[in-house]
Amino acid sequence: ETGVTQTPRHLVMGMTNKKSLKCEQHLGHNAMYWYKQSAKKPLELMFVYSLEERVENNSVPSRFSPECPNSSHLFLHLHTLQPEDSALYLCASSQESSGTYTQYFGPGTRLTVL
Amino acid sequence: AQSVTQPDIHITVSEGASLELRCNYSYGATPYLFWYVQSPGQGLQLLLKYFSGDTLVQGIKGFEAEFKRSQSSFNLRKPSVHWSDAAEYFCAVGGVSGGGADGLTFGKGTHLIIQP
């Protein structure tokens, strides 16, 4: 595997389900990000992790719970979601010490909440 | 707060014609600027980036962009488009918080359609 991978690529869940999205980066980076991409809206930053510590949470509802167990893996735990949470969820990584702020993205997970 | 404006939601260009996609940003200092491309069902691929130095930057797939401080713009150009360039293009700003790990602020994107 190379770059940033995300699983699953597609997910359909009911409002009462609990599911998790997984992201893995193979670039040796030390920062990871979750973004939400909804139709007709700009990409929205959800969470930022640097050196496995959460450094930013952009007022995301508590039904989204991130986890970063190590610098290569990032999870987004989902529970009691709403239909408006249906979107493409993108993971990205960067090398914080590079000073370039260049982020590399995974292919995304297309989430549909019924 | 910083913001990014891509004034064109859709652009249609004939194959072989030149292309320019517009991007304006709002930020007090010179930010880090990026262009990404997204094909249907895919993630974002980095085309090019600007941090400092030469204001004309070259990227992948024959794209280039020019930073103009006086106009707060970072427009993307390509001299001759190919049908495979049809995609969504996003301009983004980063590095504004001063921290090492910094989320990017994206424009709403420009959908590029290529006519045969």
Side-chain angles (χ1 to χ4, degrees), chain A residues 53-74:
Chain A
E53 296 291 326
R54 188 192 304 180
V55 298
E56 186 168 348
N57 172 359
N58 277 6
S59 302
V60 178
S62 59
R63 58 185 183 268
F64 295 91
S65 175
E67 179 188 3
C68 188
N70 55 62
S71 60
S72 297
H73 294 85
L74 184 65

Side-chain angles (χ1 to χ4, degrees), chain A residues 29 50 53 56 89 95 107:
Chain A
H29 290 165
S50 174
E53 296 291 326
E56 186 168 348
Y89 289 84
Q95 182 57 32

Side-chain angles (χ1 to χ4, degrees), chain B residues 70-104:
Chain B
S70 62
Q71 299 175 19
S72 296
S73 69
F74 188 57
N75 294 348
L76 181 71
R77 301 194 295 247
K78 186 170 185 178
S80 177
V81 298
H82 185 262
W83 64 267
S84 59
D85 293 324
E88 193 83 16
Y89 291 80
F90 294 93
C91 182
V93 166
V96 295
S97 74
D102 191 30
L104 298 178

Side-chain angles (χ1 to χ4, degrees), chain A residues 29-47:
Chain A
H29 290 165
N30 58 12
M32 297 187 77
Y33 311 78
W34 280 116
Y35 289 85
K36 176 183 179 182
Q37 186 178 28
S38 305
K40 301 181 180 179
K41 292 178 69 175
L43 276 81
E44 303 169 71
L45 178 67
M46 300 177 71
F47 300 102

